[in-house]
Amino acid sequence: FRTTPTFISPCLLQAVYVPAPFCLDPSQDGLKPPEGDRDTRELGWFFEKDRHYDHTAAVESFILLDDTIAYLKQKFAELGPFDGVLAFSQGASLLSVLCAMREGSGRPEETPGIKFDFAMFFSGFKSLAKSHENIYKETFDLPSLHVYGKGDAVVPVGMCGRNSLSLS
């Protein structure tokens, strides 16, 4: 997802890649890879304690999530507006939270500056943080595409898809 997919005509779509802001190794936060080199750092959007993340574990809340939301608000202002958002794995879990927070959602979690009209989830799953339970109680009225694999060894099929993310 780091480059514009070659199967999509650039005149039909402009893709913007926004990398996760944090490294699994905190000493690498904020460092950029040398110009022209592939970024090999392991990145994440939010974590449990000690920069660990287990998508199958229920936790009270995540660390660095508020910092990630602030980072995304900055990116939306700097690079937007965006018609839609495409996200993969942990990023797709974050996108499910952003669906409730997006501007114009009419929900209490609404965050000015985060606005989009559709969502595309690849291997997406809902956040199991107890602090997010309330956002999944109602369905989101937002067009969405869900792509997942029956043979995915990381994210089981039961965790993926429209119904698991409360999207209509």
Side-chain angles (χ1 to χ4, degrees):
F1 295 120
R2 293 179 189 211
T3 60
T4 302
T6 57
F7 62 89
I8 299 174
S9 170
C11 65
L12 297 177
L13 171 79
Q14 179 182 359
V16 176
Y17 172 72
V18 177
F22 299 105
C23 297
L24 292 182
D25 176 357
S27 69
Q28 294 183 10
D29 278 351
L31 300 178
K32 295 186 179 191
E35 193 67 34
D37 283 357
R38 183 173 177 270
D39 189 352
T40 57
R41 298 172 302 160
E42 294 180 274
L43 303 174
W45 295 100
F46 51 86
F47 304 96
E48 297 164 36
K49 60 183 181 198
D50 302 324
R51 299 274 174 123
H52 173 76
Y53 180 72
D54 177 357
H55 66 282
T56 63
V59 296
E60 192 61 42
S61 62
F62 295 112
I63 62 169
L64 299 175
L65 182 60
D66 290 339
D67 296 301
T68 291
I69 300 299
Y71 167 77
L72 288 173
K73 284 176 70 172
Q74 174 190 353
K75 293 299 181 183
F76 269 74
E78 178 185 317
L79 303 169
F82 299 110
D83 293 319
V85 177
L86 179 152
F88 171 74
S89 196
Q90 187 195 39
S93 178
L94 173 61
L95 180 54
S96 73
V97 174
L98 292 179
C99 286
M101 298 179 74
R102 75 188 193 290
E103 186 177 325
S105 67
R107 297 171 62 96
E109 299 86 358
E110 187 174 306
T111 300
I114 295 184
K115 185 173 182 166
F116 52 93
D117 297 322
F118 67 89
M120 296 188 298
F121 299 86
F122 288 76
S123 294
F125 50 91
K126 71 179 181 179
S127 165
L128 296 180
K130 291 177 184 165
S131 59
H132 295 149
E133 286 176 348
N134 64 325
I135 69 169
Y136 297 111
K137 288 184 179 173
E138 300 173 35
T139 58
F140 308 129
D141 185 21
L142 183 72
S144 60
L145 171 71
H146 303 263
V147 179
Y148 53 93
K150 291 181 180 177
D152 190 330
V154 177
V155 182
V157 171
M159 290 185 73
C160 294
R162 177 174 50 89
N163 293 331
S164 68
L165 295 172
S166 301
L167 287 148
S168 59

